[in-house]
Amino acid sequence: MKAPGQALQAQLLARSFFEASPETVAPRLLGRILEHRTASGTLAGRIVEVEAYLGPHNQPPDPAAHAFRGPTDRTRVLFGPAGHAYVYAIYGRYFCMNISCELAGRAGCVLLRALEPLTGLEVMARNRGLLSDAPARNLTSGPSRLCLAMGLTRAGQNGVDLVDADSALRVLDDGWLPERIVTTPRIGLKVAMDWPLRFAVAGHACASGPKRMRG
DNA sequence: CTGTGGATTTGCT
DNA sequence: GCAAATCCACAGG
């Protein structure tokens, strides 16, 4: 029996968890924990919304994926071993974080779109430029919001191994499982707009977008 | 609730 | 050059 208030045991995922297609990995990632150990303390959140982006080996290839045109300087980590962070800059001011999938040589990734904040909420609020009593659902609901809150940047975290016990940024599993998952098209695209590759914990307040997108 | 526009770096054509 | 896997502020119903 677990004593009241005792933290749940959370363990690293095996690399093989990520050595599969993004559309397989994405829904299974819901409920896992992203943890960043920083100088200002440990920040952690439960993954509640993701999107899959497929590698160019797929038929048909995914025109919305950064890996669509093959490896470049930016997308190199997507073609490397699974379970690594792919962090890229967008619109000049923001970052988005993905986790690489597939065996080395093939690309594919899962974009993290929303977390439920678990620890370090005050630091997250400060990182977001919000008051320290801001509602939890405002801290990490959105791909760039969660990067800001968790202190993730391309310079700092791109290429980090998320299944290495010594990494400051890791993905952990505490056994939590979503009751129901909603599947919808991906958000913000102008191509492949009907591919059902967005997955969210049904009804979760921390998922991004309007209520209908949260299930 | 919906819609619009601006901020501003990066990578690829 | 230009478009981008975004966010925020603000206007209007």
Side-chain angles (χ1 to χ4, degrees):
Chain A
M1 286 298 269
K2 209 169 284 292
Q6 179 182 344
L8 281 175
Q9 184 89 356
Q11 51 193 303
L12 284 172
L13 292 168
R15 189 173 310 285
S16 57
F17 179 94
F18 296 102
E19 292 173 334
S21 79
E23 50 193 323
T24 300
V25 175
R28 297 180 57 196
L29 208 42
L30 294 175
R32 309 293 77 81
I33 294 170
L34 182 68
E35 179 207 65
H36 190 195
R37 295 178 287 183
T38 77
S40 28
T42 295
L43 309 176
R46 195 180 299 286
I47 299 167
V48 299
E49 181 190 353
V50 296
E51 284 175 359
Y53 287 86
L54 311 182
H57 62 279
N58 282 273
Q59 197 50 245
D62 179 0
H66 286 182
F68 181 57
R69 293 162 211 284
T72 66
D73 241 9
R74 176 174 65 155
T75 62
R76 186 135 301 133
V77 8
L78 293 179
F79 291 84
H84 289 248
Y86 168 57
V87 183
Y88 69 91
I90 187 169
Y91 294 107
R93 27 180 19 156
Y94 300 114
F95 296 97
C96 294
M97 176 183 163
N98 304 252
I99 303 176
S100 64
C101 297
E102 307 275 18
L103 292 168
R106 285 189 166 187
C109 63
V110 176
L111 169 71
L112 304 186
R113 286 200 58 93
L115 308 176
E116 171 194 351
L118 296 178
T119 53
L121 300 239
E122 291 202 1
V123 172
M124 290 186 192
R126 189 164 76 226
N127 289 345
R128 286 286 322 285
L130 302 173
L131 298 174
S132 61
D133 63 348
R137 61 142 70 72
N138 288 357
L139 298 176
T140 50
S141 60
S144 297
R145 286 176 171 184
L146 74 87
C147 284
L148 259 183
M150 296 282 292
L152 308 178
T153 63
R154 174 161 149 82
Q157 280 75 38
N158 188 50
V160 168
D161 186 352
L162 301 170
V163 300
D164 182 333
D166 294 329
S167 292
L169 184 65
R170 306 183 298 175
V171 179
L172 304 174
D173 182 6
D174 70 349
W176 190 94
L177 289 174
E179 273 185 22
R180 197 166 63 86
I181 293 172
V182 286
T183 305
T184 77
R186 296 172 291 186
I187 292 177
L189 303 185
K190 290 179 177 166
V191 294
M193 295 180 64
D194 54 348
W195 295 26
L197 293 178
R198 172 180 174 270
F199 306 90
V201 176
H204 202 289
C206 294
S208 72
K211 188 168 18 176
R212 70 176 177 278
M213 296 297 282
R214 290 182 234 142

